[in-house]
Structure formats: structure tokens, C-alpha cells
Amino acid sequence: MDLRRWFPTLYTQSKDTPVRSRDATLYLLRCVFLMGVRKPPAKFFVAYVLWSFALNFCSTFYQPIGFLTGYISHLSEFSPGEFLTSLQVAFNAWSCSTKVLIVWALVKRFDEANNILDEMDRRITDPGERLQVHRAVSLSNRIFFFFMAVYMVYATNTFLSAIFIGRPPYQNYYPFLDWRSSTLHLALQAGLEYFAMAGACFQDVCVDCYPVNFILVLRAHMSIFAERLRRLGTYPSESQEQRYERLVECIQDHKVILRFVDCLRPVISGTIFVQFLVVGLVLGFTLINIVLFANLGSAIAALSFMAAVLLETTPFCILCNYLTEDCYKLADALFQSNWIDEEKRYQKTLMYFLQKLQQPITFMAMNVFPISVGTNISVTKFSFSVFTLVKQMNIAEKLAKSEMEE
């Protein structure tokens, strides 16, 4: 199969190819459409509505309820490892459903952001600049497929390891199904749980990867913008008025960048805040399960789950730190331009613009946490606190002892 033919934006286009920054989210937005959160197309209205209902009923709405109801109904029947496997996913499922609802409510902002990227593309004329954007587009799409692979590997690993021992993966509650009664009921429940979890993983990829996709291509544009600032006043053939007009154009370019960031800020703020709230607990339960209870199959599934959880916040937090550095580089680039011998009007405008550039672009999680590597490390370290607490209280030994007595 020729992957370049079927997935052209996975590969870096030539420098002569026109720039399309919106292609950085091409596969992401196709999957967002398949999440069932878009306006139904007229041609496939009924099919899309039915698919949206099936996926979101199973994965977004019922799955968190199924976890909770399963604990209430059959808590005594869980082994410690099975309970932790279910609990670690339950917290993540609740957070995933919340993030899906946030994206559902604000999904139009993705289209608005792509329209702003089109404005940025119109300013790119140099072949080297086009190549830089093409590289960001291909990297963005490859990262999306990497996320999808990691998340789906977890869902499939958990399903297969559970089937191997003759139990459903999470033992959720489904009316009229008792997996203990027959092989048919076991197969039906395992299939339903796998469909719901695969759907949730599919949704989770979209709601976790979109900040990375958008910010990667933004960083490419900011790098190009920095070079544009550095070249200000270096063309000897330009008149003073033409140089001033170039400066004003750069100010407008900066406003477009800020508009792009403001467009995405409400979506990013909500989804990352939800993830920050649960990541420590989820990783803590996963560590306890791996170290104290998991067999080989469930340990592999738990490790893939841990990798998926770390992907939910870590890459974007790293990009936020890089984005802050990019902003400082913009200010340095403007200061390094040829402005000392310019007229007073040019110098005053440049100084005002320089002050604006020195204000870094930052994202906040609901105005509570700054989204950065430092915050990500802090919330992740909470998992070790959870693990230490369980060890000190001997909860694991008590659970294992109660299981042996039964």
C-alpha cells in the first residue's frame, strides 16, 4: 500500500507546494467528525445521527455510569488487581467524558482557528518558509497517529488479557447481562465493553491531541515571524515610509497570532484542567496495580495505559514551555533589527511593539494552574503520594488477605 497516496500530509511536501497550515489538523478534524459532535451532513443525516447516538451513549454517557454501577453491584466479586484496573480507567473515563462535552460545546473554534491559520499562510512567500510549515504539518499528523496507536494498543491489550482469563475487561454493569451465567453473556459484555472503551480511546485521542496539532504549526509560524522581524530595516532600497509599513504589517501579524491563541484558549483551558485534576490519582492507582497485583498480561496493559495517560498532558505542557521561549525570541529578533537610525515615529512604534512582544503567550487551566512542565510534574508527583499512602496503610496487604480468605 502506498501510504503517501492515502495519507499525503504524513509526508513533508516540497518547498514549491502551496502552504496549507490547516492540514496539520486534517486527520484530527476527520476523527472529530467521526466522534459525532459535528452538525450532521444532509446526505447522511440519519446514519450520522445513529452513529453519534451509539458512540456517545456507550462511551461518553453510559460508560462512566457503568463503572460506578458495577462497583455498587459487584464490588465484593472484584479481585484487588481487577478493581484497580477498573478504577484507574474509571477516573479517566469520567474525565474523558467531561473533555468530550467541552469539545462538543466549543468545536466551532477549531474551524475558526484554521481560518486564522489561512490568514497566516497568506504572508508566506519564501520557499524556505513554506518548507518549514510543511515539516510542522507532517510532524503534527504523525503525532496524531502515534497517539491513536498508543491509545488503541491499551484498549486492545486490556481486552485480550481479560478474555484470556475469562472475564470482561472492566466488569461494568449492563442490564440483562450476567457474564457469569454463560459464555454468550461473557462474549456480549466483553464486546460491549471493548466497543465503549475503544470509542472512548478514539475520543480521547481527539480531545488530547488537538492542542499539540495546533500549537506545533503555530510554532512554525512564530519561527518564520521571528525571521521577518529580524529583517526589518535591512533593505537599503526601501524608503522610510516603506520600512514603517513593514513594521505595521508585522504588528498586524502579531495580532493574528494572538487572535489564534485566544480562539483556542477556552477549549484548552477546560480540557487540560480536567486532566490535571485526575492524572495524579490515575497514575497512582496504575502504579499500585503494576507493583502489587498485576500479572504479566495486565501489567503490559497497565503500562500502555500509563503511557496513554502521560501523553494526555505531557507533550502539550512541553510545547507551552517552548512557546514561552519563542515569544522571547520574537522580542530579541525585533531588537536585533536595524532600527537605531530610523525616524522617531518608527522608533516609538517599535518600542511599543517590543513591550507587547515581551509578554509571553501562556495558557491557564481554568485560571487556576499555569499549563507548563512544572505544573505537569507537580500533578504527576501526586501519584507517588497515592502509592506511598497505600503502602503505609497496608491497604494492598489487607485487600490481598481478604481475597485469600474468600
Side-chain angles (χ1 to χ4, degrees):
M1 180 184 293
D2 186 2
L3 287 178
R4 187 181 290 272
R5 178 184 172 189
W6 293 100
F7 303 101
T9 56
L10 282 177
Y11 299 89
T12 304
Q13 305 296 311
S14 69
K15 60 184 178 182
D16 298 322
T17 306
V19 168
R20 277 179 56 89
S21 295
R22 62 168 56 234
D23 283 348
T25 59
L26 177 65
Y27 305 117
L28 166 73
L29 294 185
R30 286 179 182 176
C31 290
V32 168
F33 175 80
L34 293 176
M35 282 171 57
V37 300
R38 289 287 203 173
K39 181 180 178 180
K43 189 176 180 180
F44 303 103
F45 183 87
V46 175
Y48 187 78
V49 169
L50 290 175
W51 167 253
S52 175
F53 175 79
L55 178 63
N56 287 290
F57 177 77
C58 291
S59 299
T60 307
F61 298 108
Y62 183 75
Q63 184 167 244
I65 298 172
F67 276 111
L68 183 60
T69 313
Y71 300 148
I72 296 172
S73 305
H74 306 292
L75 183 60
S76 60
E77 300 174 12
F78 282 89
S79 70
E82 290 167 350
F83 178 66
L84 287 171
T85 298
S86 180
L87 191 63
Q88 71 195 22
V89 181
F91 276 100
N92 212 51
W94 296 329
S95 70
C96 176
S97 296
T98 307
K99 291 186 290 184
V100 168
L101 294 176
I102 292 171
V103 169
W104 199 336
L106 301 172
V107 69
K108 289 185 177 179
R109 288 183 175 266
F110 293 164
D111 300 323
E112 294 171 11
N114 274 334
N115 291 334
I116 298 173
L117 286 177
D118 292 339
E119 293 182 39
M120 297 184 196
D121 288 344
R122 287 194 283 270
R123 290 282 286 148
I124 294 176
T125 56
D126 184 74
E129 295 175 351
R130 287 197 291 267
L131 187 60
Q132 198 167 343
V133 174
H134 289 326
R135 286 171 178 162
V137 167
S138 63
L139 177 61
S140 176
N141 285 303
R142 289 177 183 182
I143 287 175
F144 176 75
F145 277 97
F146 175 73
F147 269 61
M148 186 68 74
V150 171
Y151 284 44
M152 289 304 176
V153 162
Y154 158 70
T156 306
N157 273 347
T158 304
F159 173 74
L160 293 177
S161 61
I163 291 300
F164 183 75
I165 62 174
R167 289 174 175 268
Y170 309 107
Q171 301 185 40
N172 292 348
Y173 172 76
Y174 286 96
F176 313 114
L177 278 181
D178 182 5
W179 63 269
R180 302 161 191 82
S181 63
S182 68
T183 305
L184 176 61
H185 279 215
L186 171 63
L188 285 173
Q189 177 152 345
L192 283 172
E193 289 189 7
Y194 180 68
F195 174 77
M197 182 51 61
C201 288
F202 181 83
Q203 292 174 326
D204 224 5
V205 171
C206 297
V207 299
D208 291 335
C209 197
Y210 78 87
V212 177
N213 288 160
F214 278 111
I215 299 304
L216 270 176
V217 74
L218 172 64
R219 289 196 65 221
H221 280 282
M222 290 183 67
S223 177
I224 294 168
F225 182 47
E227 291 302 315
R228 196 177 300 152
L229 291 173
R230 195 171 282 110
R231 292 195 300 264
L232 284 174
T234 59
Y235 300 98
S237 60
E238 289 182 340
S239 64
Q240 286 187 344
E241 189 63 31
Q242 287 174 325
R243 288 196 288 271
Y244 183 76
E245 288 176 2
R246 279 187 179 271
L247 176 61
V248 172
E249 287 176 355
C250 288
I251 294 173
Q252 295 299 326
D253 291 340
H254 186 244
K255 288 182 177 180
V256 172
I257 290 173
L258 295 180
R259 189 151 50 88
F260 176 83
V261 172
D262 290 338
C263 179
L264 291 173
R265 187 168 271 129
V267 199
I268 292 173
S269 174
T271 55
I272 298 295
F273 176 75
V274 170
Q275 194 56 40
F276 274 163
L277 289 180
V278 301
V279 65
L281 277 175
V282 169
L283 289 176
F285 291 139
T286 308
L287 280 173
I288 295 165
N289 190 17
I290 292 172
V291 175
L292 301 177
F293 297 110
N295 56 34
L296 179 61
S298 56
I300 293 172
L303 285 171
S304 59
F305 176 74
M306 182 179 288
V309 171
L310 290 172
L311 281 177
E312 290 178 344
T313 54
T314 305
F316 181 64
C317 288
I318 293 172
L319 282 178
C320 285
N321 278 43
Y322 281 132
L323 197 61
T324 301
E325 293 179 12
D326 291 340
C327 293
Y328 293 134
K329 289 178 182 178
L330 292 179
D332 293 341
L334 180 62
F335 188 77
Q336 291 166 8
S337 66
N338 187 18
W339 59 273
I340 295 178
D341 297 327
E342 296 294 337
E343 58 178 337
K344 290 293 183 182
R345 180 183 63 162
Y346 185 100
Q347 291 181 350
K348 288 181 180 179
T349 305
L350 184 137
M351 290 302 173
Y352 173 78
F353 186 28
L354 186 61
Q355 290 177 346
K356 290 292 183 181
L357 289 178
Q358 288 172 337
Q359 300 172 9
I361 295 173
T362 57
F363 290 96
M364 296 288 292
M366 298 297 289
N367 292 322
V368 177
F369 310 112
I371 302 176
S372 65
V373 172
T375 305
N376 190 59
I377 291 173
S378 297
V379 296
T380 303
K381 282 165 61 179
F382 180 66
S383 63
F384 295 100
S385 302
V386 173
F387 181 81
T388 303
L389 178 65
V390 170
K391 287 286 289 182
Q392 289 179 346
M393 296 181 67
N394 296 321
I395 294 175
E397 288 78 1
K398 292 175 183 176
L399 286 172
K401 183 178 180 181
S402 64
E403 183 186 18
M404 290 176 64
E405 290 175 353
E406 292 176 2

